[in-house]
mmCIF file of all heavy atoms in Angstrom:
data_model
loop_
_atom_site.group_PDB
_atom_site.id
_atom_site.type_symbol
_atom_site.label_atom_id
_atom_site.label_comp_id
_atom_site.label_asym_id
_atom_site.label_seq_id
_atom_site.Cartn_x
_atom_site.Cartn_y
_atom_site.Cartn_z
ATOM 1 N N ARG A 1196 0.830 -1.211 0.000
ATOM 2 C CA ARG A 1196 0.000 0.000 0.000
ATOM 3 C C ARG A 1196 0.864 1.261 0.000
ATOM 4 O O ARG A 1196 0.526 2.263 -0.636
ATOM 5 C CB ARG A 1196 -0.937 -0.017 1.212
ATOM 6 C CG ARG A 1196 -2.035 -1.072 1.120
ATOM 7 C CD ARG A 1196 -3.089 -0.876 2.192
ATOM 8 N NE ARG A 1196 -2.552 -1.055 3.532
ATOM 9 C CZ ARG A 1196 -2.523 -2.216 4.184
ATOM 10 N NH1 ARG A 1196 -3.001 -3.316 3.600
ATOM 11 N NH2 ARG A 1196 -2.038 -2.298 5.404
ATOM 12 N N LEU A 1197 1.995 1.218 0.717
ATOM 13 C CA LEU A 1197 2.909 2.359 0.718
ATOM 14 C C LEU A 1197 3.487 2.569 -0.679
ATOM 15 O O LEU A 1197 3.567 3.705 -1.170
ATOM 16 C CB LEU A 1197 4.031 2.144 1.733
ATOM 17 C CG LEU A 1197 5.086 3.254 1.827
ATOM 18 C CD1 LEU A 1197 4.443 4.581 2.211
ATOM 19 C CD2 LEU A 1197 6.172 2.878 2.833
ATOM 20 N N ALA A 1198 3.888 1.490 -1.329
ATOM 21 C CA ALA A 1198 4.434 1.594 -2.681
ATOM 22 C C ALA A 1198 3.389 2.159 -3.641
ATOM 23 O O ALA A 1198 3.702 2.970 -4.520
ATOM 24 C CB ALA A 1198 4.916 0.225 -3.156
ATOM 25 N N ALA A 1199 2.127 1.758 -3.462
ATOM 26 C CA ALA A 1199 1.060 2.265 -4.328
ATOM 27 C C ALA A 1199 0.844 3.758 -4.122
ATOM 28 O O ALA A 1199 0.610 4.506 -5.076
ATOM 29 C CB ALA A 1199 -0.232 1.497 -4.055
ATOM 30 N N ALA A 1200 0.928 4.205 -2.870
ATOM 31 C CA ALA A 1200 0.763 5.635 -2.587
ATOM 32 C C ALA A 1200 1.898 6.446 -3.204
ATOM 33 O O ALA A 1200 1.675 7.512 -3.795
ATOM 34 C CB ALA A 1200 0.702 5.868 -1.079
ATOM 35 N N LEU A 1201 3.124 5.948 -3.111
ATOM 36 C CA LEU A 1201 4.274 6.674 -3.650
ATOM 37 C C LEU A 1201 4.298 6.632 -5.176
ATOM 38 O O LEU A 1201 4.911 7.498 -5.810
ATOM 39 C CB LEU A 1201 5.573 6.103 -3.090
ATOM 40 C CG LEU A 1201 5.757 6.221 -1.566
ATOM 41 C CD1 LEU A 1201 7.112 5.683 -1.148
ATOM 42 C CD2 LEU A 1201 5.601 7.667 -1.112
ATOM 43 N N ALA A 1202 3.642 5.639 -5.755
ATOM 44 C CA ALA A 1202 3.631 5.522 -7.211
ATOM 45 C C ALA A 1202 2.867 6.663 -7.876
ATOM 46 O O ALA A 1202 3.015 6.895 -9.075
ATOM 47 C CB ALA A 1202 3.027 4.181 -7.618
ATOM 48 N N THR A 1203 2.052 7.388 -7.115
ATOM 49 C CA THR A 1203 1.309 8.521 -7.671
ATOM 50 C C THR A 1203 2.179 9.758 -7.830
ATOM 51 O O THR A 1203 1.742 10.752 -8.422
ATOM 52 C CB THR A 1203 0.109 8.872 -6.776
ATOM 53 O OG1 THR A 1203 0.595 9.281 -5.480
ATOM 54 C CG2 THR A 1203 -0.815 7.666 -6.604
ATOM 55 N N LEU A 1204 3.407 9.719 -7.299
ATOM 56 C CA LEU A 1204 4.299 10.876 -7.325
ATOM 57 C C LEU A 1204 5.268 10.777 -8.500
ATOM 58 O O LEU A 1204 5.603 9.676 -8.955
ATOM 59 C CB LEU A 1204 5.097 10.960 -6.020
ATOM 60 C CG LEU A 1204 4.284 10.967 -4.715
ATOM 61 C CD1 LEU A 1204 5.231 10.922 -3.518
ATOM 62 C CD2 LEU A 1204 3.386 12.192 -4.641
ATOM 63 N N ASN A 1205 5.753 11.920 -8.977
ATOM 64 C CA ASN A 1205 6.817 11.875 -9.974
ATOM 65 C C ASN A 1205 8.162 11.669 -9.275
ATOM 66 O O ASN A 1205 8.244 11.648 -8.040
ATOM 67 C CB ASN A 1205 6.805 13.135 -10.859
ATOM 68 C CG ASN A 1205 7.091 14.413 -10.080
ATOM 69 O OD1 ASN A 1205 7.987 14.466 -9.236
ATOM 70 N ND2 ASN A 1205 6.318 15.468 -10.376
ATOM 71 N N ASP A 1206 9.229 11.509 -10.052
ATOM 72 C CA ASP A 1206 10.525 11.126 -9.483
ATOM 73 C C ASP A 1206 11.045 12.157 -8.487
ATOM 74 O O ASP A 1206 11.584 11.811 -7.430
ATOM 75 C CB ASP A 1206 11.548 10.923 -10.604
ATOM 76 C CG ASP A 1206 11.245 9.700 -11.462
ATOM 77 O OD1 ASP A 1206 10.436 8.856 -11.010
ATOM 78 O OD2 ASP A 1206 11.803 9.597 -12.569
ATOM 79 N N GLN A 1207 10.902 13.448 -8.809
ATOM 80 C CA GLN A 1207 11.409 14.492 -7.905
ATOM 81 C C GLN A 1207 10.579 14.554 -6.624
ATOM 82 O O GLN A 1207 11.132 14.714 -5.528
ATOM 83 C CB GLN A 1207 11.395 15.853 -8.619
ATOM 84 C CG GLN A 1207 12.449 16.010 -9.708
ATOM 85 C CD GLN A 1207 12.146 15.173 -10.931
ATOM 86 O OE1 GLN A 1207 10.983 15.005 -11.305
ATOM 87 N NE2 GLN A 1207 13.190 14.642 -11.564
ATOM 88 N N GLN A 1208 9.274 14.446 -6.746
ATOM 89 C CA GLN A 1208 8.426 14.435 -5.552
ATOM 90 C C GLN A 1208 8.777 13.249 -4.662
ATOM 91 O O GLN A 1208 8.883 13.382 -3.436
ATOM 92 C CB GLN A 1208 6.952 14.367 -5.954
ATOM 93 C CG GLN A 1208 6.418 15.623 -6.616
ATOM 94 C CD GLN A 1208 5.012 15.437 -7.148
ATOM 95 O OE1 GLN A 1208 4.633 14.335 -7.568
ATOM 96 N NE2 GLN A 1208 4.225 16.509 -7.140
ATOM 97 N N ARG A 1209 8.989 12.111 -5.266
ATOM 98 C CA ARG A 1209 9.299 10.915 -4.487
ATOM 99 C C ARG A 1209 10.647 11.051 -3.789
ATOM 100 O O ARG A 1209 10.817 10.612 -2.652
ATOM 101 C CB ARG A 1209 9.282 9.685 -5.400
ATOM 102 C CG ARG A 1209 9.485 8.384 -4.639
ATOM 103 C CD ARG A 1209 8.998 7.200 -5.431
ATOM 104 N NE ARG A 1209 9.165 5.968 -4.669
ATOM 105 C CZ ARG A 1209 8.562 4.827 -4.960
ATOM 106 N NH1 ARG A 1209 7.750 4.761 -6.005
ATOM 107 N NH2 ARG A 1209 8.767 3.749 -4.230
ATOM 108 N N ALA A 1210 11.619 11.666 -4.470
ATOM 109 C CA ALA A 1210 12.921 11.883 -3.842
ATOM 110 C C ALA A 1210 12.785 12.750 -2.592
ATOM 111 O O ALA A 1210 13.434 12.503 -1.577
ATOM 112 C CB ALA A 1210 13.875 12.534 -4.841
ATOM 113 N N ALA A 1211 11.916 13.775 -2.670
ATOM 114 C CA ALA A 1211 11.696 14.634 -1.509
ATOM 115 C C ALA A 1211 10.997 13.885 -0.387
ATOM 116 O O ALA A 1211 11.314 14.041 0.791
ATOM 117 C CB ALA A 1211 10.882 15.862 -1.911
ATOM 118 N N VAL A 1212 10.032 13.040 -0.743
ATOM 119 C CA VAL A 1212 9.264 12.291 0.252
ATOM 120 C C VAL A 1212 10.150 11.282 0.975
ATOM 121 O O VAL A 1212 10.070 11.105 2.191
ATOM 122 C CB VAL A 1212 8.077 11.583 -0.427
ATOM 123 C CG1 VAL A 1212 7.442 10.544 0.501
ATOM 124 C CG2 VAL A 1212 7.028 12.607 -0.852
ATOM 125 N N GLU A 1213 11.042 10.602 0.253
ATOM 126 C CA GLU A 1213 11.821 9.503 0.819
ATOM 127 C C GLU A 1213 13.146 9.937 1.430
ATOM 128 O O GLU A 1213 13.844 9.110 2.014
ATOM 129 C CB GLU A 1213 12.088 8.456 -0.265
ATOM 130 C CG GLU A 1213 10.828 7.744 -0.752
ATOM 131 C CD GLU A 1213 11.122 6.695 -1.797
ATOM 132 O OE1 GLU A 1213 12.086 6.900 -2.590
ATOM 133 O OE2 GLU A 1213 10.418 5.673 -1.841
ATOM 134 N N HIS A 1214 13.515 11.215 1.312
ATOM 135 C CA HIS A 1214 14.794 11.673 1.842
ATOM 136 C C HIS A 1214 14.913 11.361 3.335
ATOM 137 O O HIS A 1214 14.052 11.749 4.137
ATOM 138 C CB HIS A 1214 14.957 13.177 1.635
ATOM 139 C CG HIS A 1214 16.157 13.746 2.333
ATOM 140 N ND1 HIS A 1214 17.439 13.578 1.860
ATOM 141 C CD2 HIS A 1214 16.266 14.465 3.479
ATOM 142 C CE1 HIS A 1214 18.286 14.172 2.683
ATOM 143 N NE2 HIS A 1214 17.604 14.723 3.669
ATOM 144 N N GLY A 1215 15.984 10.663 3.694
ATOM 145 C CA GLY A 1215 16.240 10.354 5.103
ATOM 146 C C GLY A 1215 15.329 9.311 5.685
ATOM 147 O O GLY A 1215 15.312 9.099 6.898
ATOM 148 N N VAL A 1216 14.539 8.637 4.842
ATOM 149 C CA VAL A 1216 13.591 7.635 5.323
ATOM 150 C C VAL A 1216 13.778 6.372 4.487
ATOM 151 O O VAL A 1216 14.043 6.453 3.285
ATOM 152 C CB VAL A 1216 12.127 8.114 5.191
ATOM 153 C CG1 VAL A 1216 11.181 7.154 5.900
ATOM 154 C CG2 VAL A 1216 11.976 9.516 5.747
ATOM 155 N N GLY A 1217 13.607 5.229 5.091
ATOM 156 C CA GLY A 1217 13.660 3.980 4.346
ATOM 157 C C GLY A 1217 15.038 3.735 3.769
ATOM 158 O O GLY A 1217 16.048 3.745 4.469
ATOM 159 N N LEU A 1218 15.117 3.557 2.441
ATOM 160 C CA LEU A 1218 16.378 3.208 1.798
ATOM 161 C C LEU A 1218 17.419 4.314 1.929
ATOM 162 O O LEU A 1218 18.612 4.054 1.856
ATOM 163 C CB LEU A 1218 16.127 2.911 0.305
ATOM 164 C CG LEU A 1218 15.229 1.692 0.011
ATOM 165 C CD1 LEU A 1218 14.997 1.580 -1.490
ATOM 166 C CD2 LEU A 1218 15.858 0.417 0.559
ATOM 167 N N LEU A 1219 16.957 5.539 2.095
ATOM 168 C CA LEU A 1219 17.879 6.666 2.201
ATOM 169 C C LEU A 1219 18.058 7.116 3.639
ATOM 170 O O LEU A 1219 18.412 8.255 3.908
ATOM 171 C CB LEU A 1219 17.370 7.835 1.346
ATOM 172 C CG LEU A 1219 17.211 7.537 -0.152
ATOM 173 C CD1 LEU A 1219 16.642 8.756 -0.862
ATOM 174 C CD2 LEU A 1219 18.543 7.145 -0.759
ATOM 175 N N ALA A 1220 17.838 6.210 4.583
ATOM 176 C CA ALA A 1220 17.858 6.597 5.989
ATOM 177 C C ALA A 1220 19.228 7.049 6.459
ATOM 178 O O ALA A 1220 19.350 7.690 7.498
ATOM 179 C CB ALA A 1220 17.373 5.430 6.853
ATOM 180 N N ASP A 1221 20.284 6.738 5.716
ATOM 181 C CA ASP A 1221 21.621 7.162 6.128
ATOM 182 C C ASP A 1221 21.877 8.630 5.821
ATOM 183 O O ASP A 1221 22.850 9.212 6.296
ATOM 184 C CB ASP A 1221 22.685 6.304 5.429
ATOM 185 C CG ASP A 1221 22.680 4.863 5.928
ATOM 186 O OD1 ASP A 1221 22.222 4.652 7.075
ATOM 187 O OD2 ASP A 1221 23.112 3.977 5.177
ATOM 188 N N ASP A 1222 21.035 9.235 5.006
ATOM 189 C CA ASP A 1222 21.207 10.639 4.630
ATOM 190 C C ASP A 1222 20.323 11.498 5.527
ATOM 191 O O ASP A 1222 19.114 11.586 5.330
ATOM 192 C CB ASP A 1222 20.832 10.836 3.162
ATOM 193 C CG ASP A 1222 21.175 12.242 2.662
ATOM 194 O OD1 ASP A 1222 21.563 13.083 3.498
ATOM 195 O OD2 ASP A 1222 21.041 12.495 1.451
ATOM 196 N N HIS A 1223 20.934 12.107 6.531
ATOM 197 C CA HIS A 1223 20.169 12.907 7.490
ATOM 198 C C HIS A 1223 20.412 14.402 7.307
ATOM 199 O O HIS A 1223 20.190 15.187 8.227
ATOM 200 C CB HIS A 1223 20.518 12.493 8.923
ATOM 201 C CG HIS A 1223 20.107 11.086 9.248
ATOM 202 N ND1 HIS A 1223 18.798 10.691 9.319
ATOM 203 C CD2 HIS A 1223 20.857 9.983 9.505
ATOM 204 C CE1 HIS A 1223 18.727 9.404 9.620
ATOM 205 N NE2 HIS A 1223 19.959 8.945 9.729
ATOM 206 N N ARG A 1224 20.886 14.793 6.136
ATOM 207 C CA ARG A 1224 21.085 16.214 5.881
ATOM 208 C C ARG A 1224 19.749 16.959 5.885
ATOM 209 O O ARG A 1224 18.700 16.363 5.614
ATOM 210 C CB ARG A 1224 21.749 16.407 4.522
ATOM 211 C CG ARG A 1224 23.184 15.927 4.414
ATOM 212 C CD ARG A 1224 23.690 16.140 2.998
ATOM 213 N NE ARG A 1224 22.960 15.319 2.029
ATOM 214 C CZ ARG A 1224 22.990 15.516 0.713
ATOM 215 N NH1 ARG A 1224 23.668 16.533 0.207
ATOM 216 N NH2 ARG A 1224 22.324 14.723 -0.100
ATOM 217 N N PRO A 1225 19.777 18.245 6.177
ATOM 218 C CA PRO A 1225 18.540 19.023 6.014
ATOM 219 C C PRO A 1225 18.111 18.991 4.553
ATOM 220 O O PRO A 1225 18.941 18.821 3.644
ATOM 221 C CB PRO A 1225 18.937 20.433 6.458
ATOM 222 C CG PRO A 1225 20.427 20.469 6.352
ATOM 223 C CD PRO A 1225 20.902 19.075 6.637
ATOM 224 N N LEU A 1226 16.822 19.154 4.332
ATOM 225 C CA LEU A 1226 16.252 19.044 2.989
ATOM 226 C C LEU A 1226 15.606 20.362 2.585
ATOM 227 O O LEU A 1226 14.815 20.934 3.336
ATOM 228 C CB LEU A 1226 15.204 17.927 2.958
ATOM 229 C CG LEU A 1226 14.387 17.779 1.668
ATOM 230 C CD1 LEU A 1226 15.282 17.353 0.508
ATOM 231 C CD2 LEU A 1226 13.244 16.784 1.871
ATOM 232 N N LEU A 1227 15.940 20.839 1.400
ATOM 233 C CA LEU A 1227 15.291 22.005 0.804
ATOM 234 C C LEU A 1227 14.593 21.555 -0.469
ATOM 235 O O LEU A 1227 15.233 21.053 -1.395
ATOM 236 C CB LEU A 1227 16.313 23.097 0.478
ATOM 237 C CG LEU A 1227 15.816 24.279 -0.369
ATOM 238 C CD1 LEU A 1227 14.696 25.032 0.333
ATOM 239 C CD2 LEU A 1227 16.970 25.229 -0.711
ATOM 240 N N VAL A 1228 13.278 21.710 -0.507
ATOM 241 C CA VAL A 1228 12.497 21.371 -1.696
ATOM 242 C C VAL A 1228 12.107 22.678 -2.388
ATOM 243 O O VAL A 1228 11.337 23.472 -1.842
ATOM 244 C CB VAL A 1228 11.232 20.561 -1.334
ATOM 245 C CG1 VAL A 1228 10.452 20.231 -2.602
ATOM 246 C CG2 VAL A 1228 11.608 19.292 -0.580
ATOM 247 N N ILE A 1229 12.678 22.913 -3.560
ATOM 248 C CA ILE A 1229 12.318 24.080 -4.361
ATOM 249 C C ILE A 1229 11.121 23.676 -5.214
ATOM 250 O O ILE A 1229 11.252 22.932 -6.187
ATOM 251 C CB ILE A 1229 13.487 24.539 -5.248
ATOM 252 C CG1 ILE A 1229 14.693 24.918 -4.387
ATOM 253 C CG2 ILE A 1229 13.065 25.719 -6.120
ATOM 254 C CD1 ILE A 1229 14.438 26.080 -3.447
ATOM 255 N N ALA A 1230 9.951 24.137 -4.813
ATOM 256 C CA ALA A 1230 8.703 23.700 -5.440
ATOM 257 C C ALA A 1230 8.177 24.813 -6.328
ATOM 258 O O ALA A 1230 7.630 25.807 -5.846
ATOM 259 C CB ALA A 1230 7.673 23.335 -4.372
ATOM 260 N N GLY A 1231 8.341 24.661 -7.639
ATOM 261 C CA GLY A 1231 7.837 25.648 -8.577
ATOM 262 C C GLY A 1231 6.326 25.765 -8.507
ATOM 263 O O GLY A 1231 5.628 24.887 -7.987
ATOM 264 N N ALA A 1232 5.809 26.848 -9.057
ATOM 265 C CA ALA A 1232 4.366 27.085 -9.037
ATOM 266 C C ALA A 1232 3.635 25.914 -9.681
ATOM 267 O O ALA A 1232 4.010 25.447 -10.758
ATOM 268 C CB ALA A 1232 4.046 28.380 -9.779
ATOM 269 N N GLY A 1233 2.587 25.428 -9.001
ATOM 270 C CA GLY A 1233 1.766 24.363 -9.557
ATOM 271 C C GLY A 1233 2.447 23.019 -9.656
ATOM 272 O O GLY A 1233 2.011 22.157 -10.423
ATOM 273 N N SER A 1234 3.498 22.798 -8.868
ATOM 274 C CA SER A 1234 4.283 21.564 -8.989
ATOM 275 C C SER A 1234 3.880 20.486 -7.996
ATOM 276 O O SER A 1234 4.588 19.495 -7.841
ATOM 277 C CB SER A 1234 5.781 21.874 -8.823
ATOM 278 O OG SER A 1234 6.043 22.405 -7.525
ATOM 279 N N GLY A 1235 2.770 20.647 -7.294
ATOM 280 C CA GLY A 1235 2.318 19.622 -6.364
ATOM 281 C C GLY A 1235 3.009 19.686 -5.015
ATOM 282 O O GLY A 1235 3.247 18.660 -4.385
ATOM 283 N N LYS A 1236 3.276 20.899 -4.563
ATOM 284 C CA LYS A 1236 3.976 21.088 -3.294
ATOM 285 C C LYS A 1236 3.210 20.483 -2.127
ATOM 286 O O LYS A 1236 3.789 19.766 -1.290
ATOM 287 C CB LYS A 1236 4.186 22.589 -3.062
ATOM 288 C CG LYS A 1236 4.594 22.975 -1.652
ATOM 289 C CD LYS A 1236 4.739 24.463 -1.521
ATOM 290 C CE LYS A 1236 3.436 25.203 -1.647
ATOM 291 N NZ LYS A 1236 2.527 24.975 -0.491
ATOM 292 N N THR A 1237 1.915 20.759 -2.048
ATOM 293 C CA THR A 1237 1.124 20.275 -0.918
ATOM 294 C C THR A 1237 1.080 18.757 -0.891
ATOM 295 O O THR A 1237 1.224 18.136 0.167
ATOM 296 C CB THR A 1237 -0.299 20.853 -0.974
ATOM 297 O OG1 THR A 1237 -0.229 22.280 -0.996
ATOM 298 C CG2 THR A 1237 -1.113 20.416 0.224
ATOM 299 N N ALA A 1238 0.890 18.150 -2.057
ATOM 300 C CA ALA A 1238 0.863 16.689 -2.120
ATOM 301 C C ALA A 1238 2.195 16.101 -1.683
ATOM 302 O O ALA A 1238 2.245 15.083 -0.967
ATOM 303 C CB ALA A 1238 0.527 16.234 -3.543
ATOM 304 N N THR A 1239 3.286 16.737 -2.086
ATOM 305 C CA THR A 1239 4.612 16.235 -1.717
ATOM 306 C C THR A 1239 4.817 16.298 -0.211
ATOM 307 O O THR A 1239 5.266 15.326 0.415
ATOM 308 C CB THR A 1239 5.701 17.055 -2.434
ATOM 309 O OG1 THR A 1239 5.490 16.980 -3.849
ATOM 310 C CG2 THR A 1239 7.085 16.541 -2.091
ATOM 311 N N LEU A 1240 4.476 17.426 0.390
ATOM 312 C CA LEU A 1240 4.675 17.578 1.824
ATOM 313 C C LEU A 1240 3.756 16.642 2.603
ATOM 314 O O LEU A 1240 4.169 16.022 3.597
ATOM 315 C CB LEU A 1240 4.422 19.037 2.221
ATOM 316 C CG LEU A 1240 4.934 19.495 3.589
ATOM 317 C CD1 LEU A 1240 6.421 19.199 3.742
ATOM 318 C CD2 LEU A 1240 4.686 20.985 3.770
ATOM 319 N N ALA A 1241 2.511 16.498 2.151
ATOM 320 C CA ALA A 1241 1.581 15.593 2.834
ATOM 321 C C ALA A 1241 2.064 14.150 2.753
ATOM 322 O O ALA A 1241 1.982 13.393 3.732
ATOM 323 C CB ALA A 1241 0.187 15.733 2.216
ATOM 324 N N HIS A 1242 2.573 13.730 1.598
ATOM 325 C CA HIS A 1242 3.085 12.362 1.463
ATOM 326 C C HIS A 1242 4.331 12.158 2.317
ATOM 327 O O HIS A 1242 4.540 11.066 2.859
ATOM 328 C CB HIS A 1242 3.399 12.056 -0.003
ATOM 329 C CG HIS A 1242 2.207 11.609 -0.799
ATOM 330 N ND1 HIS A 1242 1.253 12.487 -1.270
ATOM 331 C CD2 HIS A 1242 1.794 10.367 -1.189
ATOM 332 C CE1 HIS A 1242 0.318 11.814 -1.933
ATOM 333 N NE2 HIS A 1242 0.617 10.525 -1.896
ATOM 334 N N ARG A 1243 5.149 13.201 2.451
ATOM 335 C CA ARG A 1243 6.336 13.051 3.306
ATOM 336 C C ARG A 1243 5.919 12.853 4.765
ATOM 337 O O ARG A 1243 6.466 12.005 5.474
ATOM 338 C CB ARG A 1243 7.263 14.256 3.183
ATOM 339 C CG ARG A 1243 8.504 14.134 4.095
ATOM 340 C CD ARG A 1243 9.590 15.129 3.774
ATOM 341 N NE ARG A 1243 10.694 15.022 4.734
ATOM 342 C CZ ARG A 1243 11.666 14.107 4.673
ATOM 343 N NH1 ARG A 1243 11.682 13.228 3.693
ATOM 344 N NH2 ARG A 1243 12.608 14.082 5.586
#
């Protein structure tokens, strides 16, 4: 079900959602998401 939810995102959105979590858990750097107008910012943050 988690994979199905993430499948609705594009590659950049998914990278933002998964940063520091799961397979990328070793990367604990702060994250800056530059979200252009109309790029699905709210969906990305909610999925994260």
Side-chain angles (χ1 to χ4, degrees):
R1196 290 191 296 270
L1197 179 60
L1201 297 183
T1203 63
L1204 306 175
N1205 64 43
D1206 291 344
Q1207 288 71 36
Q1208 291 173 328
R1209 185 160 182 164
V1212 167
E1213 294 181 327
H1214 172 76
V1216 189
L1218 296 176
L1219 301 177
D1221 291 336
D1222 188 352
H1223 295 293
R1224 292 178 295 165
L1226 173 66
L1227 170 61
V1228 180
I1229 300 298
S1234 62
K1236 166 181 67 69
T1237 303
T1239 302
L1240 196 54
H1242 276 78
R1243 179 167 176 81

